[in-house]
Amino acid sequence: MQDFHFIHQKMSKMQNWPNLFIVGAVKSGTTSLWAYLKQHPEIYFPEMKEPHYFTHPHPAPEQRHCIRYIDSEEQYLRLYQDSGQVTYRGDASPSYLWSEVAAQEIAQCCPDSKIIIILRDPVQRAYAQYLMDFNEGVTDLDFYSALQRDWTRPDKGWGVSQLYVELGLYHDQIQRYFSLFGRNQVRVLLLEDLQRKPLQVLHDLAEFLQVSPLPFQRIDFRRAHNHYARPRGNWARRLAGNPISRTIGEYFFPQRWGEYIWRNLFLRKEKKPAIDPQARDWLIERFQPEMARLEGLLQRPLPELRRSWPEAELHHAAGHPLSTESSLR
């Protein structure tokens, strides 16, 4: 009888593991995807969007207050204890695309999972991440100086360095998931498609996940998720970067309250500042060979991932000789 109860508990526990992962890239639309997919009755996402459980972060002391994560299996599974009888339980942690450890552990723990990857022009992605870091008081440097400092530092890692370049090196990251899960279990999307034709993207995902597309018809796509806003002053940046205020906001208020307070009291909507051309050109030099490799992996040209690049590069991408018949799967 004890063996029966042990097996029953173990099986119940296994049923609570997620089987749908939005793995990144960072600042590429993962929040919008999470917000849209969690409205489907067959898909459950916890309110904690980014548990980062499989990455096992070891943040540096100066960044520990900036990263909220779960490192206990018991706490992680507790996120899904109220999921009920749904088809999918999801985890939307953008660190999983970069982390080799996360990809391997997800494959070992949840091998039948579906993986969703969403990509953005890596130059724009890095700049969006920098603006977030600047707004939250993580750095006071200009973009080019922040890039140089992060690129040359000897210690790298999630919560240790900013990984402005490394998070945009998509080829090996996607190939890792293809190798571990097979292409049929992985869907690669582009942020530009999600912005221009969100309903079509969600219908394609419904087919990928084999769920009904009808619930997506009711989504209001006019609401922006993580749109650009600027701090109301240096006082807001200092408060956001202060370990005490950050800890209070992260752990003593529900996540939705904290985000509402931050967005409405500390920020104001403004036009995003133009990227520094020196920083842009420096990033393009590093990402140019990466884009060629990525186009080979996905077997299609990707001018969408060169949106911020000089016009000559866009023309080069438009004339890329690769076949366009393959989908972004």
Side-chain angles (χ1 to χ4, degrees):
M1 190 59 122
Q2 287 182 341
D3 290 341
F4 172 79
H5 285 302
F6 173 77
I7 294 173
H8 177 72
Q9 290 174 357
K10 186 175 181 180
M11 290 181 64
S12 297
K13 188 178 180 182
M14 289 176 63
Q15 290 171 356
N16 283 333
W17 286 96
N19 57 353
L20 173 63
F21 293 87
I22 301 174
V23 301
V26 175
K27 303 304 292 181
S28 298
T30 60
T31 297
S32 293
L33 266 181
W34 168 79
Y36 297 152
L37 291 178
K38 74 194 298 282
Q39 296 181 54
H40 196 290
E42 297 179 62
I43 302 173
Y44 178 87
F45 277 96
E47 284 302 312
M48 184 178 188
K49 171 182 174 277
E50 303 178 11
H52 300 296
Y53 171 71
F54 290 100
T55 300
H56 305 293
H58 298 286
E62 67 272 14
Q63 290 205 47
R64 189 168 291 127
H65 64 285
C66 297
I67 298 178
R68 189 180 179 191
Y69 62 95
I70 287 179
D71 56 6
S72 159
E73 178 181 314
E74 180 181 359
Q75 291 179 333
Y76 184 62
L77 293 179
R78 196 178 299 155
L79 295 175
Y80 302 96
Q81 65 184 1
D82 297 325
S83 58
Q85 299 299 314
V86 293
T87 305
Y88 289 99
R89 295 171 181 83
D91 177 341
S93 299
S95 62
Y96 294 164
L97 183 59
W98 165 82
S99 171
E100 293 184 36
V101 171
Q104 293 167 357
E105 290 201 4
I106 292 170
Q108 291 171 1
C109 178
C110 316
D112 297 326
S113 295
K114 296 294 182 69
I115 308 297
I116 300 175
I117 298 169
I118 183 164
L119 305 178
R120 181 182 191 176
D121 174 341
V123 175
Q124 291 183 326
R125 191 220 64 77
Y127 186 45
Q129 182 188 347
Y130 161 77
L131 290 175
M132 177 183 70
D133 291 342
F134 184 84
N135 287 350
E136 296 183 356
V138 174
T139 182
D140 291 322
L141 298 173
D142 63 84
F143 186 32
Y144 183 75
S145 299
L147 287 174
Q148 301 307 305
R149 179 181 178 183
D150 188 66
W151 180 246
T152 57
R153 63 182 297 166
D155 52 336
K156 301 268 183 154
W158 189 266
V160 177
S161 58
Q162 305 315 115
L163 303 170
Y164 290 125
V165 174
E166 289 84 351
L167 293 178
L169 300 177
Y170 301 140
H171 176 276
D172 289 355
Q173 298 168 8
I174 295 173
Q175 179 60 65
R176 185 180 306 133
Y177 277 94
F178 281 168
S179 298
L180 289 168
F181 290 88
R183 293 192 179 224
N184 289 337
Q185 288 179 227
V186 181
R187 179 60 55 95
V188 182
L189 309 174
L190 301 180
L191 173 62
E192 287 71 23
D193 289 336
L194 186 65
Q195 291 174 331
R196 290 187 297 108
K197 46 186 180 182
L199 188 57
Q200 180 178 328
V201 169
L202 291 176
H203 279 194
D204 290 343
L205 284 177
E207 181 181 356
F208 172 61
L209 299 174
Q210 295 185 316
V211 298
S212 171
L214 294 179
F216 294 136
Q217 301 286 147
R218 298 189 292 269
I219 293 179
D220 182 2
F221 295 111
R222 293 172 297 178
R223 180 184 175 189
H225 299 278
N226 277 357
H227 56 76
Y228 178 74
R230 186 179 181 86
R232 294 185 181 274
N234 277 330
W235 63 269
R237 293 184 60 245
R238 301 305 176 198
L239 196 59
N242 183 277
I244 297 176
S245 61
R246 189 70 175 245
T247 300
I248 292 173
E250 291 283 353
Y251 292 97
F252 294 94
F253 288 92
Q255 184 174 356
R256 65 181 69 180
W257 290 12
E259 291 177 354
Y260 178 86
I261 292 171
W262 171 244
R263 282 280 169 190
N264 291 276
L265 298 184
F266 290 84
L267 301 179
R268 61 170 177 261
K269 294 180 182 179
E270 282 192 10
K271 184 178 179 181
K272 184 183 296 185
I275 189 173
D276 172 15
Q278 183 183 20
R280 180 201 63 195
D281 294 344
W282 185 86
L283 285 170
I284 289 173
E285 184 179 352
R286 276 141 192 83
F287 289 134
Q288 193 170 31
E290 180 71 11
M291 286 299 101
R293 296 176 69 218
L294 183 62
E295 288 173 327
L297 178 65
L298 299 180
Q299 281 296 293
R300 58 155 289 177
L302 295 167
E304 300 93 339
L305 299 188
R306 293 181 174 88
R307 286 185 62 185
S308 64
W309 299 29
E311 188 175 356
E313 288 296 333
L314 293 178
H315 286 314
H316 168 76
H320 200 285
L322 289 173
S323 169
T324 60
E325 294 179 359
S326 300
S327 68
L328 275 173
R329 298 183 182 180

PDB file of all heavy atoms in Angstrom, residues 265-279:
ATOM      1  N   LEU A 265       3.507  55.186 -11.961  1.00  0.00           N
ATOM      2  CA  LEU A 265       3.995  56.208 -11.045  1.00  0.00           C
ATOM      3  C   LEU A 265       5.438  56.614 -11.298  1.00  0.00           C
ATOM      4  O   LEU A 265       5.818  57.760 -11.065  1.00  0.00           O
ATOM      5  CB  LEU A 265       3.853  55.730  -9.591  1.00  0.00           C
ATOM      6  CG  LEU A 265       2.427  55.449  -9.105  1.00  0.00           C
ATOM      7  CD1 LEU A 265       2.441  55.083  -7.626  1.00  0.00           C
ATOM      8  CD2 LEU A 265       1.518  56.659  -9.338  1.00  0.00           C
ATOM      9  N   PHE A 266       6.249  55.697 -11.796  1.00  0.00           N
ATOM     10  CA  PHE A 266       7.672  55.963 -11.942  1.00  0.00           C
ATOM     11  C   PHE A 266       8.082  56.266 -13.384  1.00  0.00           C
ATOM     12  O   PHE A 266       9.137  56.841 -13.612  1.00  0.00           O
ATOM     13  CB  PHE A 266       8.491  54.766 -11.434  1.00  0.00           C
ATOM     14  CG  PHE A 266       8.430  54.585  -9.949  1.00  0.00           C
ATOM     15  CD1 PHE A 266       7.388  53.902  -9.357  1.00  0.00           C
ATOM     16  CD2 PHE A 266       9.418  55.108  -9.132  1.00  0.00           C
ATOM     17  CE1 PHE A 266       7.327  53.726  -7.992  1.00  0.00           C
ATOM     18  CE2 PHE A 266       9.365  54.943  -7.763  1.00  0.00           C
ATOM     19  CZ  PHE A 266       8.314  54.254  -7.183  1.00  0.00           C
ATOM     20  N   LEU A 267       7.245  55.866 -14.356  1.00  0.00           N
ATOM     21  CA  LEU A 267       7.602  56.042 -15.754  1.00  0.00           C
ATOM     22  C   LEU A 267       6.614  56.950 -16.468  1.00  0.00           C
ATOM     23  O   LEU A 267       5.485  57.116 -16.023  1.00  0.00           O
ATOM     24  CB  LEU A 267       7.627  54.681 -16.471  1.00  0.00           C
ATOM     25  CG  LEU A 267       8.582  53.614 -15.935  1.00  0.00           C
ATOM     26  CD1 LEU A 267       8.430  52.340 -16.756  1.00  0.00           C
ATOM     27  CD2 LEU A 267      10.017  54.089 -15.941  1.00  0.00           C
ATOM     28  N   ARG A 268       7.057  57.514 -17.568  1.00  0.00           N
ATOM     29  CA  ARG A 268       6.165  58.249 -18.461  1.00  0.00           C
ATOM     30  C   ARG A 268       6.471  57.833 -19.898  1.00  0.00           C
ATOM     31  O   ARG A 268       7.627  57.598 -20.262  1.00  0.00           O
ATOM     32  CB  ARG A 268       6.335  59.767 -18.294  1.00  0.00           C
ATOM     33  CG  ARG A 268       7.721  60.296 -18.612  1.00  0.00           C
ATOM     34  CD  ARG A 268       7.726  61.818 -18.656  1.00  0.00           C
ATOM     35  NE  ARG A 268       9.068  62.341 -18.890  1.00  0.00           N
ATOM     36  CZ  ARG A 268       9.868  62.808 -17.945  1.00  0.00           C
ATOM     37  NH1 ARG A 268       9.458  62.812 -16.685  1.00  0.00           N
ATOM     38  NH2 ARG A 268      11.070  63.260 -18.242  1.00  0.00           N
ATOM     39  N   LYS A 269       5.425  57.744 -20.697  1.00  0.00           N
ATOM     40  CA  LYS A 269       5.609  57.315 -22.078  1.00  0.00           C
ATOM     41  C   LYS A 269       6.359  58.388 -22.864  1.00  0.00           C
ATOM     42  O   LYS A 269       6.033  59.572 -22.785  1.00  0.00           O
ATOM     43  CB  LYS A 269       4.259  57.040 -22.734  1.00  0.00           C
ATOM     44  CG  LYS A 269       3.515  55.854 -22.143  1.00  0.00           C
ATOM     45  CD  LYS A 269       2.189  55.641 -22.857  1.00  0.00           C
ATOM     46  CE  LYS A 269       1.410  54.495 -22.240  1.00  0.00           C
ATOM     47  NZ  LYS A 269       0.110  54.279 -22.899  1.00  0.00           N
ATOM     48  N   GLU A 270       7.355  57.959 -23.593  1.00  0.00           N
ATOM     49  CA  GLU A 270       8.128  58.848 -24.446  1.00  0.00           C
ATOM     50  C   GLU A 270       8.575  58.091 -25.679  1.00  0.00           C
ATOM     51  O   GLU A 270       8.579  56.855 -25.695  1.00  0.00           O
ATOM     52  CB  GLU A 270       9.358  59.397 -23.700  1.00  0.00           C
ATOM     53  CG  GLU A 270       9.065  60.519 -22.733  1.00  0.00           C
ATOM     54  CD  GLU A 270      10.339  61.208 -22.260  1.00  0.00           C
ATOM     55  OE1 GLU A 270      11.416  60.923 -22.833  1.00  0.00           O
ATOM     56  OE2 GLU A 270      10.255  62.011 -21.328  1.00  0.00           O
ATOM     57  N   LYS A 271       8.991  58.828 -26.684  1.00  0.00           N
ATOM     58  CA  LYS A 271       9.563  58.208 -27.865  1.00  0.00           C
ATOM     59  C   LYS A 271      10.931  57.649 -27.518  1.00  0.00           C
ATOM     60  O   LYS A 271      11.722  58.279 -26.828  1.00  0.00           O
ATOM     61  CB  LYS A 271       9.687  59.245 -28.990  1.00  0.00           C
ATOM     62  CG  LYS A 271      10.183  58.661 -30.302  1.00  0.00           C
ATOM     63  CD  LYS A 271      10.246  59.727 -31.377  1.00  0.00           C
ATOM     64  CE  LYS A 271      10.769  59.139 -32.688  1.00  0.00           C
ATOM     65  NZ  LYS A 271      10.850  60.179 -33.753  1.00  0.00           N
ATOM     66  N   LYS A 272      11.179  56.436 -27.997  1.00  0.00           N
ATOM     67  CA  LYS A 272      12.456  55.793 -27.703  1.00  0.00           C
ATOM     68  C   LYS A 272      13.602  56.592 -28.324  1.00  0.00           C
ATOM     69  O   LYS A 272      13.543  56.974 -29.494  1.00  0.00           O
ATOM     70  CB  LYS A 272      12.455  54.369 -28.248  1.00  0.00           C
ATOM     71  CG  LYS A 272      13.708  53.569 -27.915  1.00  0.00           C
ATOM     72  CD  LYS A 272      13.683  52.188 -28.535  1.00  0.00           C
ATOM     73  CE  LYS A 272      12.556  51.352 -27.972  1.00  0.00           C
ATOM     74  NZ  LYS A 272      12.595  49.962 -28.481  1.00  0.00           N
ATOM     75  N   PRO A 273      14.661  56.887 -27.573  1.00  0.00           N
ATOM     76  CA  PRO A 273      15.787  57.629 -28.145  1.00  0.00           C
ATOM     77  C   PRO A 273      16.496  56.824 -29.226  1.00  0.00           C
ATOM     78  O   PRO A 273      16.514  55.587 -29.194  1.00  0.00           O
ATOM     79  CB  PRO A 273      16.701  57.861 -26.934  1.00  0.00           C
ATOM     80  CG  PRO A 273      16.321  56.808 -25.942  1.00  0.00           C
ATOM     81  CD  PRO A 273      14.858  56.560 -26.151  1.00  0.00           C
ATOM     82  N   ALA A 274      17.071  57.529 -30.189  1.00  0.00           N
ATOM     83  CA  ALA A 274      17.769  56.867 -31.295  1.00  0.00           C
ATOM     84  C   ALA A 274      19.014  56.165 -30.784  1.00  0.00           C
ATOM     85  O   ALA A 274      19.680  56.626 -29.846  1.00  0.00           O
ATOM     86  CB  ALA A 274      18.135  57.894 -32.363  1.00  0.00           C
ATOM     87  N   ILE A 275      19.342  55.057 -31.429  1.00  0.00           N
ATOM     88  CA  ILE A 275      20.519  54.302 -31.044  1.00  0.00           C
ATOM     89  C   ILE A 275      21.789  55.037 -31.466  1.00  0.00           C
ATOM     90  O   ILE A 275      21.820  55.704 -32.501  1.00  0.00           O
ATOM     91  CB  ILE A 275      20.470  52.892 -31.676  1.00  0.00           C
ATOM     92  CG1 ILE A 275      21.578  52.006 -31.102  1.00  0.00           C
ATOM     93  CG2 ILE A 275      20.554  52.967 -33.188  1.00  0.00           C
ATOM     94  CD1 ILE A 275      21.473  50.558 -31.558  1.00  0.00           C
ATOM     95  N   ASP A 276      22.823  54.932 -30.675  1.00  0.00           N
ATOM     96  CA  ASP A 276      24.125  55.512 -30.975  1.00  0.00           C
ATOM     97  C   ASP A 276      24.714  54.786 -32.189  1.00  0.00           C
ATOM     98  O   ASP A 276      24.895  53.564 -32.151  1.00  0.00           O
ATOM     99  CB  ASP A 276      25.033  55.344 -29.752  1.00  0.00           C
ATOM    100  CG  ASP A 276      26.472  55.749 -30.030  1.00  0.00           C
ATOM    101  OD1 ASP A 276      26.726  56.403 -31.047  1.00  0.00           O
ATOM    102  OD2 ASP A 276      27.344  55.396 -29.203  1.00  0.00           O
ATOM    103  N   PRO A 277      25.012  55.501 -33.289  1.00  0.00           N
ATOM    104  CA  PRO A 277      25.537  54.835 -34.491  1.00  0.00           C
ATOM    105  C   PRO A 277      26.828  54.054 -34.223  1.00  0.00           C
ATOM    106  O   PRO A 277      27.048  52.999 -34.834  1.00  0.00           O
ATOM    107  CB  PRO A 277      25.770  55.991 -35.470  1.00  0.00           C
ATOM    108  CG  PRO A 277      24.841  57.064 -35.010  1.00  0.00           C
ATOM    109  CD  PRO A 277      24.791  56.940 -33.514  1.00  0.00           C
ATOM    110  N   GLN A 278      27.687  54.565 -33.352  1.00  0.00           N
ATOM    111  CA  GLN A 278      28.926  53.853 -33.044  1.00  0.00           C
ATOM    112  C   GLN A 278      28.639  52.498 -32.405  1.00  0.00           C
ATOM    113  O   GLN A 278      29.236  51.481 -32.767  1.00  0.00           O
ATOM    114  CB  GLN A 278      29.803  54.695 -32.110  1.00  0.00           C
ATOM    115  CG  GLN A 278      31.153  54.054 -31.805  1.00  0.00           C
ATOM    116  CD  GLN A 278      31.977  54.862 -30.826  1.00  0.00           C
ATOM    117  OE1 GLN A 278      31.448  55.705 -30.082  1.00  0.00           O
ATOM    118  NE2 GLN A 278      33.281  54.642 -30.811  1.00  0.00           N
ATOM    119  N   ALA A 279      27.695  52.486 -31.469  1.00  0.00           N
ATOM    120  CA  ALA A 279      27.321  51.242 -30.820  1.00  0.00           C
ATOM    121  C   ALA A 279      26.644  50.295 -31.816  1.00  0.00           C
ATOM    122  O   ALA A 279      26.913  49.088 -31.830  1.00  0.00           O
ATOM    123  CB  ALA A 279      26.388  51.525 -29.647  1.00  0.00           C
TER     124      ALA A 279
END
